Each structure stands twice: as structure tokens, then as C-alpha cells.
Amino acid sequence: MKPNTGFIEVDVPMNVHGNYDKRKGVKWGEAMRKAQDNGESAFGLAAGFSGLAKTAVPARAGAASRADIQEMELEDDSVEQLLQRFEDANDKGHVLNKQTLGGQIMKDETGKPIYMLGSYRGKELHLTKIAGIVQMRPQFHHLDAVRELSNANRRREREAAEGARANEPRAVQMTIKNDDGDSAQSKEFLFRAQEEKWTKLRYYDEETDEAFATYHDKMFVRDVENAAKLRSSMTNEQYLDAISAEHHDPSGRSKKKPLTKRQMQRIEDSDESDIDEDGHDKDAGAQLEGDR
């Protein structure tokens, strides 16, 4: 996790012994290992400039797509040797045996809906405000590693044929498109993402004792008697008016407001008072007397 920039990634272990393509697992795992040996410690947006500098340069003609990257092969001899001793290769980190899920924490903003988690304890409802939400998506770091190895191999081949060139500085303008569709400069943000170190966290399954202890410690108010009580600032009618859509009459005529429960109760009481004990309408009886 990167608390300042809000990036978070979770490595989920995979079962490499069932419904698993061992050849691709070895190919992608070896690509990840070699890329890390070459100095690539992170990939994607969370890596800042380290992960985006390669994609910032305009792609060359015929650049490899994601489907092409998946078909890129490492040395066949190396892959075959690792497949023959698959268990040992898996133990030594040559196999992609985990799936990485990642995302960026979106914190609450003024004017936006406020979400809460509710926990029941008997008749008590304890509410905990959610400070941020993150949507975890699969990360394709292994494909980035394969592409990086392919680019490194092409550079070595070109340097061997043309001779090594001096590294010339080149200005790169980094931009990122936000959720609102506006393109904004994010140079400072990418630098901060690149410089910030990962903070490792330990994940506990919800059925473990540690998860239960944290649940009871964080999700319930200890001193219920002295805790602030939740009270609504609206009546039922005010709440319904607030969440109801406003009606506009094209003719410009004003519409009467709907009756409240108290007004409807008064009308019902008035109607009942007009009926005598025998169930006859008093007004109708008075009219009959007048006709006589």
C-alpha cells in the first residue's frame, strides 16, 4: 500500500496444480523475475514514471498489442528446463503463482454521498463512516515484464549492430486522463507515486481469530451510554419532500402540496363526527327533516 498516493495492491495466491497453464506460468514468472533483476521493481500507474515512461513515448509502427505480448516467447530451452523441474522452479520464484489485484483509494469529497457500514449487536445499530473506497482490478504486471524484456533484447541487438549510443536526455510530457474525461497534467503526482515506498500489510481471512478481534474492536462503540446518539434533523414529511423530484407544471399553475398525516387524520376525524351512533349521516337526516 502507498498511503499518500492511495495505491493499494493485493497478491492472491493461485493453485498451480489444477486448471493452470504451466507453460504460461513459467514464461510469465520468469519474465517477472528477469525484469526485477534488471531493476524494474514495480509496474503500472502505481510505479509513477518508472511504470509509465515507456508508454509515454509514441508507439512505433507495428507496436505489439496485449495479445501479441502474450504470445512472446522466452528462450525455449530455459522454459523447457523449468517445466521439467516445475515444483523446484515454483519454490524458487520462476513461476507466476499469484494474481495481483490493484486500485487507487477514492476518498470522500464534500457534497458527495457519505457511506457507512452498519453492524448489529442485539437491538443496537453501530455505524462506521467509510473514509475511502477502492475498486480492485486485475493487474497485468507480467505482460509489462514480457514487453520490457522484449524491448531490452531489441536494444541490445541494435547496439550490437550499430554500436552503443550515448544516452541523450529527452523531455517527456506526462499526462493522465481522469474519470471526468478532462486531461490534466499529473507530473507531480507521478513523481510522488514513484518516490513513495510500498508499505507491506498482512491480510487475514474473515474467518480467522485476528479478523474477529479487529471486527469487534473497530465496528462497535464501547461506551454506548455516553456515546452520541443519532438523531434526524428532518421529519418524515420533510425527508420525503427532500428525496422526491420537484414537479414543474408547464401551465404555470401552482399545485397544492400533498396533505400531511396530521391533516389527513383531521379529515378522517371530521368525517367520523358527521355519522351518528346509528350509522346514519347527520347531514342527510337534517335534509329529510327540512323536506317534511
Side-chain angles (χ1 to χ4, degrees):
M1 178 180 181
K2 292 188 175 184
N4 295 330
T5 52
F7 289 105
I8 183 171
E9 290 186 351
V10 178
D11 292 332
V12 182
M14 293 189 297
N15 181 11
V16 298
H17 301 290
N19 299 323
Y20 183 83
D21 191 331
K22 293 184 178 181
R23 179 172 294 276
K24 288 185 178 180
V26 169
K27 181 182 70 173
W28 291 336
E30 188 67 0
M32 288 286 292
R33 186 188 66 81
K34 289 184 177 181
Q36 292 173 356
D37 291 344
N38 292 339
E40 292 292 337
S41 59
F43 301 93
L45 182 61
F49 277 113
S50 176
L52 292 182
K54 306 174 186 62
T55 59
V57 181
R60 61 178 177 82
S65 63
R66 178 175 293 177
D68 297 331
I69 294 172
Q70 294 187 38
E71 298 302 325
M72 290 180 180
E73 296 290 343
L74 299 176
E75 295 82 355
D76 291 337
D77 295 339
S78 175
V79 173
E80 292 299 332
Q81 291 177 4
L82 293 174
L83 284 174
Q84 292 177 2
R85 49 185 182 87
F86 182 79
E87 295 297 334
D88 182 64
N90 183 39
D91 295 336
K92 293 182 178 180
H94 297 276
V95 180
L96 184 66
N97 53 14
K98 61 184 179 181
Q99 182 183 23
T100 301
L101 305 177
Q104 186 179 10
I105 300 175
M106 306 302 295
K107 298 183 179 180
D108 57 333
E109 300 178 4
T110 304
K112 296 295 183 66
I114 298 176
Y115 296 94
M116 293 188 177
L117 287 177
S119 300
Y120 283 99
R121 186 171 61 185
K123 296 182 178 180
E124 301 172 352
L125 173 60
H126 296 246
L127 298 177
T128 302
K129 181 181 177 181
I130 298 178
I133 299 176
V134 57
Q135 184 176 4
M136 308 295 288
R137 300 181 178 91
Q139 304 297 300
F140 301 97
H141 297 336
H142 53 286
L143 300 185
D144 294 335
V146 173
R147 178 166 48 191
E148 171 58 23
L149 288 180
S150 177
N151 293 338
N153 291 335
R154 284 199 299 268
R155 285 195 299 268
R156 283 194 294 266
E157 293 174 358
R158 185 172 61 251
E159 291 174 358
E162 302 176 0
R165 296 180 180 178
N167 292 329
E168 299 178 357
R170 177 171 51 185
V172 177
Q173 182 68 25
M174 304 296 296
T175 59
I176 184 173
K177 193 173 183 180
N178 58 20
D179 293 338
D180 297 331
D182 299 327
S183 181
Q185 294 183 356
S186 56
K187 182 177 181 180
E188 181 182 357
F189 173 78
L190 292 174
F191 268 125
R192 288 191 288 111
Q194 181 184 16
E195 294 297 327
E196 186 176 4
K197 303 298 182 182
W198 285 101
T199 300
K200 290 189 176 182
L201 305 176
R202 183 181 295 274
Y203 173 81
Y204 292 97
D205 186 78
E206 62 179 355
E207 298 296 333
T208 59
D209 295 337
E210 292 82 359
F212 274 104
T214 303
Y215 169 75
H216 288 287
D217 181 55
K218 301 295 184 181
M219 300 297 292
F220 295 99
V221 179
R222 297 180 180 178
D223 189 2
V224 178
E225 297 297 331
N226 298 324
K229 301 299 187 295
L230 181 64
R231 293 183 175 87
S232 176
S233 61
M234 294 182 176
T235 63
N236 293 339
E237 290 77 12
Q238 291 173 339
Y239 175 74
L240 292 176
D241 291 340
I243 65 175
S244 300
E246 186 177 357
H247 297 282
H248 296 280
D249 190 354
S251 63
R253 295 177 297 179
S254 60
K255 292 186 177 181
K256 295 182 179 180
K257 293 184 178 180
L259 298 177
T260 63
K261 289 184 177 180
R262 183 173 298 179
Q263 291 173 335
M264 294 178 64
Q265 185 64 37
R266 289 177 180 175
I267 294 175
E268 292 178 359
D269 294 341
S270 176
D271 292 341
E272 292 177 357
S273 63
D274 292 338
I275 305 299
D276 58 16
E277 296 180 356
D278 296 332
H280 300 292
D281 191 339
K282 293 182 179 180
D283 293 338
Q287 185 177 0
L288 290 175
E289 291 292 337
D291 293 340
R292 292 178 183 176

